[in-house]
Amino acid sequence: MTTYAPDTTATAVVLCKKTGAFYDFVADDFRLNYSYETKIKILKPEGTSFADICIPYYENENRSSMKETVSQIDAFAYNIENGKTVRTKMKREFIYKERLNDKYMQVKFSIPNVKVGTVIEYKYKVLSDFYFNINDWSAQQSIPTLYTEYDITVPEYFKFNLDVRGTERLETTDDSEAVNLSIGNQLLQCNGRHLNFKGRQLPALHDDDYIWCVNDYSTQVNFELGGLDFPGALYKSFTQSWENIDKMLLEDSEFGGQLKIRNPYREEMAALNLDQLKSIEEKISAIYTFLKGKITWNEEYSLYGGKSKKVIKDGMGNNAEINFILMSMLRDADIPSFPVVMSRRNIGILPYSHPSVQKLNTFIVGVANTDSTLVYLDGSVRDGYINILPPVLMVNRARVIMPGKGGLWVDLSKTCKSQLRSIVNATISPDGKICGNRNTSYTGQYASSFRRKYRTAKDSTEFVNELATQEDIKVNVFNAQGVDRFSPQVKETVIFEKQATTNDNFIYLNPLIFLHTEKNPFTQAERKLPVEYPFTDQVVLSVNLTLPEGYTVDELPKPLLARTEDKQGMCRYVLEQKVNKLTINYTFSSSKLLYLPEEYPGLQNFWKVIAEKNNETVVLKKL
């Protein structure tokens, strides 16, 4: 086998992947036993990376009684040499462990002698004390799968709710089976629920542009513990509600306990003179600006805190640690604030119907702007503002936890208006040189993006040079206002020169000067995954051009009004000529964040039309 016919781009293919799980009884408690067996064919040089294996598992740094153990690792590489199959066994020295964080370890190993044409095979077992939490199983990988199987038997005492999702078909059996458990010196026989899932010739689940978390669309099987029903004991329900999750978090010392910490900057805050500020927004801005001068975000997101003293000492912390301190400062300013828990967009959608604290991975701060409205802020915000969050946090479902008041679901996907508004005034000379100025205001995510590029550039010269290269202009004067302020907007002025194309008696130029887009971002013939935009968008461009003396317009682009089929996307292009003046008004808006695969052809055509219009030219002819 040298290629995989259904997907010739595949760098490797899973020949067989089998997962098994069953319960046993050890040391007066139940335990879950997992077995994993995988065989992969390497088809291209890039596919050799599948010989590097990482297995994460739970092992608390504090040596808690409950843990997971990885054992019985075996791995082989099979190659054909001189017409014969040669098996290379991985030596134990290729296996090592490393700690990921205070709760998780991982086992890593690399299978030797792997190249194009190799079949790799590896097996291992995991013993888990977390018998009440069955690991989720995904049938699809980042490469195609010929055959995959999941087989699990659950004793009748455990009542799990089953959630099977995804678009690919699985062969499923769900029946009863006898289970033998060794308890002490006695053999206990009970009934069990035997579940088996088989998948055949499953396509690869490719990560793609405009997708936050590809695993949201994987064909998968998930388990949720509904309750325990042991003989001679009352049924104990474990079915969670989000209200239970709220309560659990508020009782956790590393979450609820952190909502009560003392403001470490109480004395220093007096210098902010908050009483002299008129609006709540001004007070929030002053407090946050002060805090960010004290503590830097360490690029990590978390749900829990507990190390506030270390964070203050080091001047650096994760977003949760910064948020707990922020709320303590807001509390001292008599500004109510609440944690807003979520799952980040690149980690996965938070399920309404399957409440689980494990699905939560961070929180932001909801601040009471009025008696009935909240505004939002997070310790990771460097370049944004109130309500202008990093797009990864702009989830469509997050939960506000209000101690003593209950919980509230909120949609953060459209918390701010993101707009680029630009006005260009320029004059065209007979030699085709375009001289003028551009005044641009960047709002919302556009302001954040501008600040991030400015901040990460080596200096302002590098930033301006990059702008000149990107737009193919000469920058004579550059000025930006609001780059270093904590505010919703940045304003920019550019005085520029740009050379149009000339040929004998003609001048050819793009009348937009600064384009909205040069190409269609959607070039795939078909798409199996949805399109997820990061934020709603608006671009407004106005261009006023003065024509050179002795020239007339020979060709003008036609006006355009394009819309998506659902009218949620729109592009308008209008060009007018009055004597020696050309005026172009261009407006683009997109208010929808999710397009399903069946909507893709219409979306693709919408952007095709926009890209073509952005690249059209005006032809000027010498009289």
Side-chain angles (χ1 to χ4, degrees):
M1 183 183 187
T2 58
T3 187
Y4 181 62
D7 182 359
T8 55
T9 65
T11 61
V13 58
V14 177
L15 303 176
C16 177
K17 185 169 186 177
K18 298 173 75 173
T19 304
F22 68 91
Y23 280 79
D24 65 2
F25 196 89
V26 178
D28 298 326
D29 215 343
F30 286 93
R31 183 178 65 178
L32 261 169
N33 294 253
Y34 296 98
S35 63
Y36 299 91
E37 178 180 347
T38 304
K39 295 177 183 175
I40 297 175
K41 172 77 176 188
I42 310 301
L43 300 173
K44 296 182 180 180
E46 301 87 344
T48 57
S49 62
F50 288 96
D52 301 321
I53 317 300
C54 295
I55 308 167
Y57 64 97
Y58 186 93
E59 184 179 292
N60 197 304
E61 208 169 28
N62 299 325
R63 298 292 179 185
S64 64
S65 58
M66 302 192 75
K67 63 178 182 178
E68 293 179 323
T69 306
V70 180
S71 63
Q72 299 183 41
I73 299 172
D74 255 330
F76 306 91
Y78 298 89
N79 290 287
I80 294 179
E81 297 178 7
N82 299 320
K84 295 182 178 180
T85 302
V86 177
R87 185 178 80 160
T88 305
K89 181 178 172 62
M90 181 186 69
K91 297 178 181 178
R92 305 299 298 173
E93 62 207 52
F94 286 89
I95 304 171
Y96 63 97
K97 297 180 181 180
E98 65 179 19
R99 180 161 289 282
L100 294 173
N101 52 45
D102 58 350
K103 291 184 173 63
Y104 281 90
M105 297 278 291
Q106 72 176 1
V107 171
K108 299 178 73 173
F109 58 88
S110 295
I111 304 172
N113 200 24
V114 175
K115 53 197 172 184
V116 174
T118 303
V119 171
I120 61 173
E121 176 184 20
Y122 59 92
K123 308 174 185 179
Y124 62 93
K125 293 184 183 294
V126 176
L127 301 177
S128 174
D129 295 330
F130 301 95
Y131 59 84
F132 44 81
N133 183 33
I134 298 175
N135 292 342
D136 297 339
W137 177 76
S138 178
Q140 290 178 275
Q141 321 297 317
S142 60
I143 52 177
T145 300
L146 275 178
Y147 178 81
T148 185
E149 181 178 356
Y150 183 34
D151 191 271
I152 180 170
T153 302
V154 182
E156 60 183 308
Y157 314 128
F158 301 92
K159 309 298 181 185
F160 281 95
N161 300 318
L162 190 63
D163 175 29
V164 182
R165 65 180 70 171
T167 57
E168 300 301 323
R169 178 179 173 272
L170 294 177
E171 302 167 26
T172 305
T173 58
D174 184 351
D175 52 28
S176 183
E177 183 179 275
V179 175
N180 295 316
L181 296 170
S182 179
I183 300 179
N185 295 321
Q186 294 186 330
L187 188 67
L188 174 65
Q189 191 172 66
C190 65
N191 290 324
R193 185 184 183 187
H194 175 232
L195 291 156
N196 184 275
F197 305 90
K198 293 185 178 76
R200 303 177 192 274
Q201 291 191 325
L202 303 178
L205 191 68
H206 291 296
D207 204 354
D208 214 335
D209 292 335
Y210 295 94
I211 282 290
W212 279 105
C213 180
V214 70
N215 287 335
D216 282 337
Y217 305 101
S218 167
T219 297
Q220 57 191 281
V221 178
N222 305 313
F223 291 86
E224 180 199 17
L225 183 62
L228 297 178
D229 191 10
F230 289 103
L234 291 174
Y235 176 78
K236 185 176 181 181
S237 174
F238 277 82
T239 299
Q240 291 280 21
S241 67
W242 282 109
E243 288 72 21
N244 291 342
I245 302 295
D246 298 344
K247 185 173 181 292
M248 185 188 308
L249 286 171
L250 290 173
E251 292 174 352
D252 191 309
S253 62
E254 293 188 347
F255 189 91
Q258 296 303 299
L259 296 174
K260 302 170 186 175
I261 63 171
R262 183 180 183 274
N263 174 10
Y265 304 112
R266 178 174 291 179
E267 288 75 22
E268 294 175 76
M269 269 181 61
L272 298 179
N273 297 317
L274 297 177
D275 293 339
Q276 297 179 18
L277 300 177
K278 295 179 181 179
S279 68
I280 293 290
E281 189 170 297
E282 287 177 311
K283 293 179 181 180
I284 298 168
S285 298
I287 291 169
Y288 188 76
T289 302
F290 173 85
L291 176 59
K292 295 301 280 187
K294 294 287 187 179
I295 302 174
T296 303
W297 180 47
N298 65 4
E299 307 282 343
E300 294 178 4
Y301 288 102
S302 181
L303 181 63
Y304 298 102
K307 299 178 181 177
S308 56
K309 289 182 179 178
K310 185 177 187 303
V311 170
I312 293 162
K313 179 183 176 183
D314 296 345
M316 183 173 287
N318 63 44
N319 79 311
E321 292 163 338
I322 297 172
N323 286 340
F324 284 127
I325 295 171
L326 173 61
M327 286 191 285
S328 75
M329 298 171 73
L330 292 168
R331 186 166 60 247
D332 271 6
D334 295 322
I335 301 174
S337 62
F338 312 96
V340 185
V341 297
M342 66 175 66
S343 173
R344 305 195 306 278
R345 291 168 89 176
N346 61 342
I347 301 297
I349 295 171
L350 194 65
Y352 279 130
S353 56
H354 295 278
S356 170
V357 73
Q358 280 80 26
K359 297 293 184 182
L360 301 171
N361 46 66
T362 196
F363 78 94
I364 65 171
V365 179
V367 189
N369 190 35
T370 68
D371 291 340
S372 59
T373 61
L374 293 176
V375 293
Y376 303 97
L377 194 53
D378 182 69
S380 67
V381 170
R382 282 181 178 170
D383 307 303
Y385 185 63
I386 298 167
N387 278 345
I388 304 174
L389 302 167
V392 73
L393 300 177
M394 294 168 59
V395 298
N396 63 359
R397 59 181 73 160
R399 187 164 178 83
V400 185
I401 300 178
M402 301 179 175
K405 298 181 181 179
L408 172 71
W409 289 105
V410 291
D411 181 350
L412 304 176
S413 62
K414 299 180 181 180
T415 54
C416 70
K417 179 181 180 181
S418 296
Q419 183 189 73
L420 185 155
R421 182 178 287 271
S422 177
I423 299 176
V424 173
N425 292 291
T427 300
I428 308 166
S429 61
D431 61 359
K433 185 178 287 186
I434 306 167
C435 298
N437 62 75
R438 179 181 77 165
N439 292 288
T440 308
S441 64
Y442 302 89
T443 305
Q445 296 299 331
Y446 280 107
S448 294
S449 179
F450 186 99
R451 288 190 177 107
R452 184 165 53 254
K453 289 178 182 177
Y454 198 90
R455 173 173 54 81
T456 55
K458 184 173 67 176
D459 50 35
S460 59
T461 301
E462 182 181 83
F463 180 86
V464 171
N465 288 341
E466 190 173 326
L467 172 65
T469 301
Q470 181 182 331
E471 300 293 349
D472 191 23
I473 59 173
K474 178 184 176 184
V475 177
N476 294 324
V477 177
F478 173 86
N479 180 50
Q481 298 176 335
V483 176
D484 299 319
R485 286 203 302 267
F486 185 61
S487 66
Q489 192 175 74
V490 175
K491 292 188 176 181
E492 171 203 65
T493 299
V494 178
I495 297 178
F496 68 91
E497 295 177 18
K498 187 179 179 81
Q499 182 62 50
T501 302
T502 59
N503 183 8
D504 295 331
N505 295 324
F506 294 93
I507 299 174
Y508 306 87
L509 71 142
N510 189 317
L512 284 175
I513 312 297
F514 299 89
L515 309 189
H516 169 215
T517 182
E518 287 189 49
K519 57 184 180 180
N520 184 352
F522 303 108
T523 57
Q524 300 160 290
E526 60 179 21
R527 187 178 172 106
K528 291 189 175 182
L529 296 176
V531 171
E532 297 176 330
Y533 282 134
F535 52 85
T536 57
D537 191 3
Q538 186 177 45
V539 175
V540 180
L541 309 175
S542 297
V543 183
N544 302 298
L545 294 175
T546 301
L547 305 183
E549 226 176 287
Y551 277 79
T552 186
V553 174
D554 190 55
E555 290 182 28
L556 279 180
K558 294 179 180 179
L560 169 74
L561 176 58
R563 299 183 189 272
T564 54
E565 294 170 2
D566 55 15
K567 308 293 190 277
Q568 298 293 300
M570 181 276 292
C571 183
R572 180 184 287 112
Y573 179 108
V574 179
L575 193 151
E576 293 181 329
Q577 180 187 4
K578 291 183 179 178
V579 192
N580 69 332
K581 300 281 186 182
L582 281 182
T583 302
I584 302 94
N585 289 303
Y586 178 97
T587 304
F588 167 86
S589 65
S590 176
S591 57
K592 184 175 175 177
L593 295 174
L594 176 69
Y595 284 87
L596 300 176
E598 53 266 30
E599 297 175 292
Y600 176 73
L603 183 67
Q604 182 186 41
N605 186 64
F606 173 66
W607 277 97
K608 177 176 178 288
V609 169
I610 291 174
E612 289 173 351
K613 184 57 64 175
N614 269 259
N615 284 286
E616 288 186 357
T617 59
V618 166
V619 179
L620 304 180
K621 184 179 180 181
K622 191 173 183 180
L623 293 172

